[in-house]
Amino acid sequence: MAAVSMLGPREAGKFIASLAKDVSIRPDGVMKTARVIADAVKSGQLDMEAFKQNEVLPLGRGLTQGQLANWVFLIDSLNFNFWTPDGQPKYSVTHEGKTRTGYLAMVAAVNRALDEGQPMCDPTHYATLTLQDLTHIFRSDTPSQMPLLEKRFEVLQEISGILKEKFGGSFEGVLTRAENSAVKLVEIVTESFPCFRDVASFEGRPVAFYKRAQILAADLWMLYRGQAPGGFTDMGELTMFADYRVPQSLAYLGALEYSDALLQRLKEQYVFSSGDREEVEIRGCSIEATERIVEAARSLLQAEGGGDVTSIKVDFFLWDYRVKHAAKVDSIPYHRVRCIYY
C-alpha cells in the first residue's frame, strides 16, 4: 500500500477546514478582516518597514552578512512557546531602554548577549553553551523565566551539530543551496533539521504547518529587504505562520469561530498536546482563513485603485495587531500547547 503524501501548509489548511468540527471560518468575518487589511495596505501599515520585528533586528552592530544570517537562524530556531499562565508575570527582558515580553524578549536577550561580548552569531559558540549559560543569557526581569529552556538547549545542540556536519558550520551554507527560493529554503530546513518538522496527522492524512521554517524565510526576506541572499522571488508561495497568537486575532476579528465546547476549554486554559484534533483544526483553519482574507483583500484593493497583499504580510499585520491591541484581543482566549514547533 502506497504511503499517503504529505499535504503542504496551504493544501493542509484547505483540507483541515473542510472537515473541521470545532472551528469554522465565517465569511462575514473574512470580509471584515479583508477590509481592515485593505485599509492597512493603503495607509502603508503593511510596508516592510512598518512591522514590529524591525525594532529588534541587530543592525548597527557591525555584523557581516553571514553573521546576520546566523542570527536569524538562531532566533527562528528558538521562536516557540512564550506564553505564561494567566495571573503570572510575563517573561520580560529590558534592553536598550525598552522592556519587551514573549518572543520580542527572547530576541532582546540574544541582542543583549551580543552586546555583552557573547558571539551568538557563531554556531560553534552556542554549541559550547551549557544549560546554566542559557539560563543567564535568557534571564528575565520577572520571576517567570523563558519556558522550555531545556528544550531550547537541545535545539541549539541539534542545529549547531547539523550546521557543522552538513553546511560548513554556518547558515550561509543553507542559504546558498536555497538559490533565492523561499520554498526551497523551507524544504531544506525541514528535511535537514528535525526541530523544524512541524507536522501532524488529520483524518488519516499527514499535514504540514512548517511555522518556524516559513517564518525563517520571511525574516530573512525582511532582514535583507528583499535583496540577496534573502531575495526570494517566491514569497507568495508561503502561507501564514500557524502559531497561537494570529489565530487569536482572527477569532477576535470574527474570521474564526469556535464551538462552545472548544471555547470553554480555551477559557479554562486547557493545555493541548501538539497534534490534538482541536489544536490542528485551529492551526489549519487559520491558514485557510488567511488565504480567503488575502483573496478578498486583493479584490477590494483592485476595485479601489491598486495595491497587493500576501499571506505573510497579513500574518505580520495580525501578529502586530494583537500586540498593539492586547487588552481587546485578549478577551478571546488563545490555545495553549507546550511544544518546540510554535
Side-chain angles (χ1 to χ4, degrees):
M1 183 175 170
V4 180
S5 61
M6 175 88 69
L7 293 176
R10 182 168 279 107
E11 295 72 27
K14 193 176 292 293
F15 175 67
I16 293 165
S18 72
L19 296 171
K21 297 175 181 176
D22 285 291
V23 185
S24 57
I25 301 171
R26 292 181 54 91
D28 56 339
V30 167
M31 288 307 302
K32 174 187 173 184
T33 310
R35 178 74 269 166
V36 171
I37 294 297
D39 290 344
V41 170
K42 291 194 285 187
S43 65
Q45 293 177 65
L46 268 75
D47 293 346
M48 199 181 286
E49 285 74 21
F51 298 119
K52 285 190 76 65
Q53 288 92 326
N54 285 299
E55 292 180 8
V56 288
L57 294 177
L59 305 177
R61 285 177 166 81
L63 300 179
T64 67
Q65 192 160 276
Q67 288 172 327
L68 286 171
N70 280 329
W71 181 92
V72 173
F73 186 56
L74 170 65
I75 292 299
D76 285 323
S77 296
L78 299 175
N79 182 3
F80 57 86
N81 229 250
F82 299 101
W83 61 268
T84 48
D86 288 356
Q88 294 186 15
K90 296 180 182 296
Y91 169 61
S92 306
V93 172
T94 300
H95 182 55
E96 296 180 325
K98 184 156 186 174
T99 300
R100 296 180 171 89
T101 62
Y103 162 75
L104 294 172
M106 180 272 288
V107 179
V110 171
N111 289 341
R112 177 177 64 189
L114 277 172
D115 293 342
E116 291 172 350
Q118 296 253 23
M120 298 299 290
C121 299
D122 182 356
T124 61
H125 172 71
Y126 58 71
T128 67
L129 295 175
T130 65
L131 183 57
Q132 187 175 2
D133 293 331
L134 278 194
T135 302
H136 175 72
I137 287 169
F138 292 110
R139 63 195 182 274
S140 175
D141 299 346
T142 69
S144 292
Q145 296 303 305
M146 188 160 62
L148 298 180
L149 200 58
E150 290 185 10
K151 289 291 185 186
R152 295 175 203 276
F153 172 74
E154 292 170 9
V155 163
L156 292 187
Q157 295 297 303
E158 175 190 300
I159 64 170
S160 59
I162 294 169
L163 285 174
K164 181 179 179 181
E165 178 187 343
K166 294 184 176 181
F167 299 102
S170 172
F171 188 70
E172 278 187 299
V174 180
L175 269 180
T176 300
R177 292 194 202 178
E179 298 175 320
N180 275 333
S181 166
V183 171
K184 193 169 181 181
L185 178 73
V186 170
E187 289 174 357
I188 294 168
V189 168
T190 55
E191 288 171 5
S192 302
F193 300 89
C195 67
F196 279 87
R197 287 182 202 144
D198 178 13
V199 300
S201 178
F202 187 79
E203 294 284 352
R205 291 294 302 265
V207 292
F209 298 107
Y210 295 156
K211 179 256 182 178
R212 288 197 291 113
Q214 291 196 112
I215 206 168
L216 171 63
D219 284 348
L220 288 161
W221 169 75
M222 186 150 62
L223 175 69
Y224 293 117
R225 292 299 188 259
Q227 304 299 311
F232 306 124
T233 56
D234 53 357
M235 291 296 290
E237 296 299 310
L238 303 186
T239 67
M240 63 82 74
F241 320 122
D243 65 353
Y244 53 91
R245 285 305 192 186
V246 174
Q248 187 184 22
S249 290
L250 288 168
Y252 174 77
L253 291 166
L256 292 185
E257 186 172 47
Y258 301 142
S259 70
D260 290 343
L262 175 55
L263 189 58
Q264 185 59 36
R265 296 189 99 180
L266 297 179
K267 287 178 178 176
E268 293 170 354
Q269 300 187 49
Y270 178 83
V271 180
F272 295 95
S273 295
S274 180
D276 281 354
R277 184 183 179 99
E278 299 100 319
E279 180 249 9
V280 171
E281 286 191 10
I282 292 172
R283 300 184 79 196
C285 289
S286 295
I287 293 173
E288 176 61 14
T290 301
E291 293 298 302
R292 297 182 193 180
I293 289 164
V294 168
E295 183 179 3
R298 283 175 172 166
S299 295
L300 289 170
L301 289 166
Q302 189 173 12
E304 296 170 6
D308 194 24
V309 67
T310 62
S311 297
I312 287 173
K313 286 193 171 185
V314 170
D315 181 286
F316 279 149
F317 176 83
L318 291 175
W319 192 88
D320 276 9
Y321 185 91
R322 187 261 149 196
V323 173
K324 293 173 182 174
H325 305 284
K328 293 190 295 184
V329 177
D330 284 350
S331 65
I332 301 292
Y334 61 90
H335 72 282
R336 299 165 191 257
V337 182
R338 285 295 186 210
C339 72
I340 66 169
Y341 300 115
Y342 68 100

